[in-house]
């Protein structure tokens, strides 16, 4: 089921999510709904807080190219992370980011280039992945959501002011 995305400045995005304790059918439904919602909204990642569920759950699905400019996000490619913890991090650089909760706004954000993450899968098994580039950035972005943080909070004071001004203007135009 496609769920509604919580959009900035909704206060629910600021709430810290809690660890998942039961790896049951309810969790599986949540994960399946998150996948459907993310694909419907053309996102590459989603944290459950973004659909108003404050649990430490996130998903990422990096689109694969099919034909020329068409991309696809098969469900089997979805990385599901429950209660993720970053073990190691390396290097830092600026990468462009966007967010379904801050639609149509993109900005360069400083992130670690490579990270190692430990997490549970939907069945409660411990998993560990080490990755770099786009996936590492996506994981860091989604993990911030679990702590009630948005990527725009990492902007410089001036860029943040500019964003708030643009955002207000856009809300009025709607
Ligand atoms: Co986001």
């Amino acid at each position: 089921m496609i769920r509604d995305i919580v959009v900035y400045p909704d206060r629910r995005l600021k709430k810290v999510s809690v660890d998942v304790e039961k790896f049951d059918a309810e969790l599986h439904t949540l994960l399946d709904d998150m996948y459907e919602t993310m694909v419907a909204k053309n996102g590459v990642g989603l944290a459950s807080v973004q659909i108003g569920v404050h649990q430490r759950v996130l998903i990422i699905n990096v689109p694969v190219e099919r034909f020329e400019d068409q991309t696809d996000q098969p469900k089997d490619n979805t990385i599901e992370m429950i209660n993720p913890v970053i073990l190691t991090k390396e290097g830092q650089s600026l990468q462009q980011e966007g967010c379904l909760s801050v639609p149509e706004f993109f900005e360069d954000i400083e992130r670690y280039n490579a990270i190692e993450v430990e997490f549970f899968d939907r069945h409660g098994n411990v998993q560990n992945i080490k990755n770099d580039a786009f996936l590492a950035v996506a994981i860091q972005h989604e993990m911030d959501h679990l702590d009630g943080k948005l990527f725009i909070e990492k902007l410089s004071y001036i860029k943040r002011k500019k964003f708030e001004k643009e955002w207000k203007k856009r809300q009025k135009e709607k």
Side-chain angles (χ1 to χ4, degrees):
M1 188 177 80
I2 295 171
R3 311 234 200 145
D4 289 336
I5 300 267
V6 178
V7 174
Y8 179 81
D10 195 308
R11 299 285 303 170
R12 285 176 289 172
L13 292 168
K14 295 194 73 72
K15 202 173 150 191
V16 176
S17 295
V18 298
D19 277 341
V20 169
E21 282 169 10
K22 283 187 198 154
F23 296 82
D24 56 6
E26 203 179 314
L27 174 68
H28 297 175
T29 302
L30 171 67
L31 285 160
D32 294 342
D33 285 358
M34 283 170 68
Y35 169 76
E36 276 186 50
T37 306
M38 179 188 69
V39 170
K41 308 286 180 186
N42 297 313
V44 297
L46 191 73
S48 63
V49 52
Q50 292 180 276
I51 56 168
V53 178
H54 292 93
Q55 296 196 14
R56 301 188 83 82
V57 176
L58 67 87
I59 61 166
I60 291 166
N61 189 312
V62 182
V64 288
E65 276 186 41
R66 286 286 181 232
F67 311 100
E68 289 168 11
D69 54 0
Q70 276 189 307
T71 57
D72 194 10
Q73 290 174 286
K75 192 164 194 285
D76 286 352
N77 286 3
T78 309
I79 298 169
E80 299 176 338
M81 292 187 165
I82 294 136
N83 306 346
V85 178
I86 294 178
L87 301 178
T88 62
K89 37 201 183 189
E90 280 169 44
Q92 276 182 305
S93 59
L94 289 171
Q95 310 281 345
Q96 196 185 63
E97 290 180 30
C99 181
L100 290 177
S101 293
V102 191
E104 291 155 56
F105 178 77
F106 301 90
E107 191 55 82
D108 287 345
I109 303 294
E110 187 153 311
R111 297 288 186 186
Y112 294 103
N113 297 327
I115 53 170
E116 185 180 359
V117 190
E118 191 171 86
F119 57 98
F120 291 95
D121 64 19
R122 62 162 64 201
H123 304 293
N125 300 314
V126 178
Q127 306 284 342
N128 185 302
I129 59 170
K130 193 166 183 174
N131 52 75
D132 54 21
F134 184 79
L135 192 56
V137 171
I139 293 169
Q140 290 167 78
H141 175 108
E142 299 310 330
M143 281 186 73
D144 274 355
H145 277 300
L146 308 184
D147 291 322
K149 292 179 195 148
L150 293 173
F151 76 119
I152 51 171
E153 290 167 47
K154 293 176 89 80
L155 296 174
S156 67
Y157 179 79
I158 290 169
K159 279 188 175 174
R160 179 65 187 265
K161 283 275 169 211
K162 203 174 144 228
F163 161 76
E164 294 294 348
K165 213 172 144 187
E166 269 178 43
W167 195 256
K168 270 184 199 139
K169 201 177 137 207
R170 242 198 267 168
Q171 302 312 109
K172 272 181 201 156
E173 283 165 1
K174 273 179 187 171

